[in-house]
Amino acid sequence: MGTGITSVLTSTFRLDERGLHMGIQNIQSKEWTVHDQMNAKKQRQKKLRRLEKLIPVFLFLCAIISILTTLGILYTLISSAIGFFGEVSFSEFFLNTEWKPWSGSFGVSPLITGTLLITGIAIIVAIPLGLATAIFLSEYASDRTRRIVKPVIEILAGIPTVVYGFFALTFVTPLIQHVIPDLKIFNALSGGIVVGIMIIPTIASLSEDAMSAVPGNIREGAYAVGATRFEVAMKVVVPAALSGIIASFVLGISRAIGETMIVTIAAGQSPTLTLDPTQSIQTLTSFIVQGTSGDTAYGSTIYYSVYAVGITLFVFTLAMNFLSQYISRRFREEY
Amino acid sequence: MPLRNQDDMYKRRKRRTAKNNIFRTLFFTATTVGLIVLAMLIYRVLSQGTGSLSWDFIRNFAAPYPDEAGLLAGIVGSLYLMGIVAIFSIVVGVSTAIYLEEYAKKGKLTTFIQMNIQNLAGVPSVVFGLLGLTFFVYVLDFGYSLLTGGLTMSLLVLPIIVVSSQEALRSVPSELKEASAAMGASKWQTIFRVVLPAALPGMITGSILALSRAIGETAPLLVVGAATAIYSLPDSVVDSYTVMPIQIYSWISKPGDEWPLLAAAGIIILLIFLLIMNTIAVLIRNKFQRRY
């Protein structure tokens, strides 16, 4: 131990001695090397920083992909629809009441009524059930019940639509046939009902979010003047959360319009201008599937007609989405 | 002298509480409808499908006879497809989210990108199929291949990944970032070593949920030409392919009493995949969820 200390001391001494004898210039040059080292490090860092400047560029390019997707959709639909309207007139498309593309009738109205029929039935099922579920979960259920039930309801939203289609065709249709014996095997009714079931979680979950966001003191104020739970729900919470609730309805409707597999499987492939839910119909979406699968030739009128139907569908859902965003932004109550 | 008749008030209150009770029952019933339908759906699928489940069902290709047909091509195709979707959509989606949350200046372009993503999330999936049909099948000439399906599906689930990643990034407290910056870390160092690790569980959860959406989607793949019956596994990304939902769909639409049973068996396998993925997502969320 003694030797250790001595050696340290000597080495310090030596260093001091060396430093003393080295003269000022040497010390300066030593400082230079340190400086050089720092410079080199700075250079390296500069290089890294310059590389880092490229990162936001890459990230930005990725962000642009979403815009390109939208532009791509618009370009695809519009350019092919123009090709279609070069062969089939606007008036034929909108005014003719027959959709028989394989024999040259391109009147889109049966597909639109088919879509509206499905959407209408879905709304009748989903809005009362969805809203009631939301009110129950937000106003009546205990915290624990809500934490268990809400995710289970949301499972309904995660089930693949082909599974719903199977359910509609092999279970709901035979069930309804007990009540309405002359129901067709492929019919709008069971398709619409199952589409409605599919959008229940959209409506229930979003409405529940909107209602939970209504501050508790408003609720408590109403309870304090003697309101029942039902009165609080209907006269205080629902009006306060109305923008969110309506936005959830519109979003649900938009999903019902765009739903494809359930209606393709359960509602049939026969475009009929009817509002009779027991009939077999075809929607905009299920024609797109029918028109693209199989042996439709690229560039034929039928091929283009798929895009004309696609743009009709796109306009419908886009309008619904904008409406939903507008409602939730414009009529939002701030507390 | 009382201003109101006591009896009247009593009756009114009784009516009001009775109304409350009736509606509570109604609301409760409505809630159970959703749960009952879910239970019936699962029961129905299980009761119809378990009979056709066997190792051969998983090992066999499609076949003209129900008792020989299997889901192998669909299972493998779905897994390949998910691989492509995962690579493409997670890279692009997470990058977009980082850009929007950490780099983008508040302005018209950022608002536009943000709104655009919201709108894309509302576009029907079959329209994405049309986009894929034009661009990937014909313009880029990928044909009816696995790559076409994967890219189409990636664009479809991109908004889900972007939005969930944004939420995960937003939940990282700014103190963490500031501390890192105060230690001399550059912006990217902060993002890569502090923000991303903290946001990772949320991002993984969102990505798994997006993938589980992709594995169940049928319509866009029908449009971009996934095959309904295929007798060999895809060798490369430009090979033709099929996925589980497409095989199920083709079995549902076949005439005969036995095909629906086979479809139900396929649905069971599909639901098992979804169950596994969602369980993983929930487990990750619960295990790593940190509240700051």
Side-chain angles (χ1 to χ4, degrees):
Chain A
M1 197 175 153
T3 46
I5 288 175
T6 329
S7 73
V8 169
L9 280 176
T10 20
S11 69
T12 321
F13 179 66
R14 265 189 205 147
L15 215 150
D16 275 355
E17 193 182 50
R18 212 170 19 155
L20 277 171
H21 291 278
M22 262 181 199
I24 285 164
Q25 270 186 342
N26 251 340
I27 289 173
Q28 262 182 349
S29 79
K30 219 177 173 185
E31 270 186 1
W32 271 114
T33 52
V34 171
H35 199 186
D36 278 349
Q37 273 178 356
M38 283 174 68
N39 257 351
K41 198 174 178 196
K42 266 190 189 159
Q43 289 286 323
R44 268 205 310 275
Q45 276 187 342
K46 254 191 193 165
K47 240 187 216 164
L48 274 177
R49 298 264 148 125
R50 224 174 291 143
L51 271 178
E52 273 194 39
K53 288 250 166 65
L54 291 177
I55 288 170
V57 176
F58 170 76
L59 297 178
F60 179 71
L61 289 178
C62 287
I64 288 297
I65 286 183
S66 74
I67 292 183
L68 289 181
T69 308
T70 306
L71 291 179
I73 290 174
L74 288 176
Y75 172 78
T76 307
L77 294 179
I78 291 173
S79 66
S80 303
I82 286 173
F84 174 74
F85 287 116
E87 292 169 38
V88 177
S89 68
F90 264 112
S91 57
E92 154 90 11
F93 189 63
F94 288 109
L95 297 180
N96 190 345
T97 55
E98 255 194 356
W99 182 264
K100 283 181 182 150
W102 280 273
S103 43
S105 296
F106 292 98
V108 79
S109 45
L111 298 183
I112 292 181
T113 55
T115 297
L116 292 181
L117 188 59
I118 293 285
T119 309
I121 297 168
I123 289 170
I124 292 171
V125 172
I127 285 187
L129 287 177
L131 188 59
T133 304
I135 294 176
F136 179 76
L137 289 179
S138 152
E139 301 304 313
Y140 288 93
S142 68
D143 229 31
R144 215 173 126 236
T145 316
R146 178 171 51 231
R147 269 210 304 274
I148 296 169
V149 173
K150 202 179 173 191
V152 176
I153 296 273
E154 280 168 356
I155 291 177
L156 280 174
I159 288 180
T161 50
V162 68
V163 179
Y164 278 118
F166 171 82
F167 186 64
L169 183 66
T170 66
F171 184 69
V172 179
T173 300
L175 203 66
I176 303 174
Q177 271 172 335
H178 284 299
V179 187
I180 311 169
D182 51 347
L183 188 75
K184 297 243 169 68
I185 291 175
F186 299 107
N187 64 84
L189 187 59
S190 86
I193 290 174
V194 175
V195 171
I197 290 166
M198 184 200 76
I199 60 175
I200 285 177
T202 308
I203 291 176
S205 182
L206 292 177
S207 298
E208 204 270 329
D209 289 344
M211 288 189 218
S212 302
V214 174
N217 51 15
I218 298 186
R219 245 181 229 116
E220 278 149 26
Y223 285 134
V225 293
T228 63
R229 268 181 195 269
F230 177 67
E231 285 158 351
V232 170
M234 296 313 278
K235 293 180 184 166
V236 177
V237 179
V238 169
L242 200 61
S243 71
I245 293 172
I246 292 179
S248 82
F249 291 172
V250 179
L251 204 66
I253 293 171
S254 147
R255 290 197 56 190
I257 294 175
E259 171 44 41
T260 311
M261 289 322 290
I262 300 175
V263 289
T264 304
I265 292 171
Q269 308 278 353
S270 44
T272 325
L273 187 67
T274 175
L275 287 177
D276 177 3
T278 61
Q279 294 299 310
S280 173
I281 50 124
Q282 186 168 43
T283 63
L284 293 166
T285 50
S286 67
F287 173 72
I288 294 176
V289 168
Q290 191 194 13
T292 49
S293 51
D295 41 3
T296 308
Y298 175 72
S300 64
T301 315
I302 293 176
Y303 174 83
Y304 283 132
S305 76
V306 170
Y307 289 85
V309 170
I311 202 167
T312 315
L313 173 71
F314 184 71
V315 169
F316 266 99
T317 51
L318 194 69
M320 284 295 165
N321 290 336
F322 275 133
L323 188 66
S324 150
Q325 281 167 30
Y326 174 77
I327 289 169
S328 60
R329 209 169 300 146
R330 173 72 179 70
F331 298 107
R332 182 180 292 153
E333 304 250 356
E334 300 280 356
Y335 294 103
Chain B
M1 192 179 107
L3 286 170
R4 293 199 183 200
N5 188 331
Q6 289 271 313
D7 261 8
D8 242 27
M9 287 298 286
Y10 180 70
K11 267 185 199 157
R12 255 186 82 183
R13 200 171 64 204
K14 237 185 151 178
R15 233 185 2 246
R16 282 171 52 212
T17 45
K19 202 170 166 192
N20 179 45
N21 287 335
I22 291 168
F23 273 95
R24 182 176 49 203
T25 320
L26 272 180
F27 292 151
F28 175 74
T29 318
T31 308
T32 54
V33 168
L35 303 178
I36 290 169
V37 170
L38 182 65
M40 274 194 319
L41 193 148
I42 291 171
Y43 169 74
R44 180 83 185 159
V45 167
L46 287 179
S47 68
Q48 296 223 301
T50 35
S52 311
L53 275 184
S54 65
W55 283 117
D56 280 341
F57 180 69
I58 296 172
R59 278 194 303 236
N60 283 2
F61 286 108
Y65 306 105
D67 47 345
E68 289 171 13
L71 197 62
L72 180 67
I75 296 174
V76 175
S78 281
L79 290 176
Y80 283 168
L81 191 84
M82 274 209 295
I84 296 176
V85 175
I87 293 168
F88 185 79
S89 66
I90 292 177
V91 169
V92 174
V94 170
S95 301
T96 304
I98 295 175
Y99 175 78
L100 287 174
E101 285 304 307
E102 305 291 335
Y103 283 99
K105 295 184 187 74
K106 282 215 164 71
K108 279 195 180 140
L109 182 65
T110 310
T111 323
F112 180 66
I113 296 178
Q114 195 75 61
M115 271 196 61
N116 179 51
I117 289 168
Q118 264 184 36
N119 281 322
L120 274 184
V123 172
S125 58
V126 71
V127 172
F128 279 92
L130 290 179
L131 172 73
L133 183 64
T134 304
F135 272 94
F136 300 133
V137 176
Y138 291 120
V139 175
L140 296 176
D141 205 17
F142 294 154
Y144 293 148
S145 68
L146 196 55
L147 188 61
T148 299
L151 291 177
T152 307
M153 209 53 107
S154 300
L155 294 179
L156 176 68
V157 300
L158 195 58
I160 305 176
I161 295 187
V162 173
V163 171
S164 63
S165 302
Q166 273 186 292
E167 268 165 26
L169 288 171
R170 238 176 269 150
S171 72
V172 178
S174 55
E175 285 89 343
L176 241 64
K177 295 181 212 169
E178 280 155 19
S180 165
M183 301 290 283
S186 69
K187 183 154 192 167
W188 176 246
Q189 282 171 330
T190 303
I191 291 171
F192 197 71
R193 297 189 197 165
V194 177
V195 179
L196 274 184
L200 205 58
M203 288 179 168
I204 294 175
T205 306
S207 304
I208 294 177
L209 293 181
L211 287 182
S212 69
R213 165 96 195 271
I215 200 177
E217 270 293 347
T218 323
L221 293 181
L222 280 175
V223 174
V224 297
T228 46
I230 213 167
Y231 304 98
S232 64
L233 297 179
D235 286 329
S236 71
V237 289
V238 289
D239 240 1
S240 58
Y241 67 104
T242 187
V243 291
M244 284 186 270
I246 302 262
Q247 280 206 297
I248 294 166
Y249 168 66
S250 77
W251 288 336
I252 292 175
S253 29
K254 276 188 178 153
D257 288 342
E258 282 181 63
W259 289 110
L261 302 181
L262 209 65
I267 288 172
I268 294 176
I269 306 280
L270 179 62
L271 290 182
I272 288 174
F273 269 89
L274 283 172
L275 190 69
I276 293 171
M277 290 167 74
N278 281 282
T279 311
I280 293 173
V282 170
L283 286 181
I284 289 176
R285 189 171 60 195
N286 289 348
K287 181 140 170 57
F288 296 102
Q289 197 171 44
R290 231 184 303 167
R291 298 217 176 266
Y292 293 100

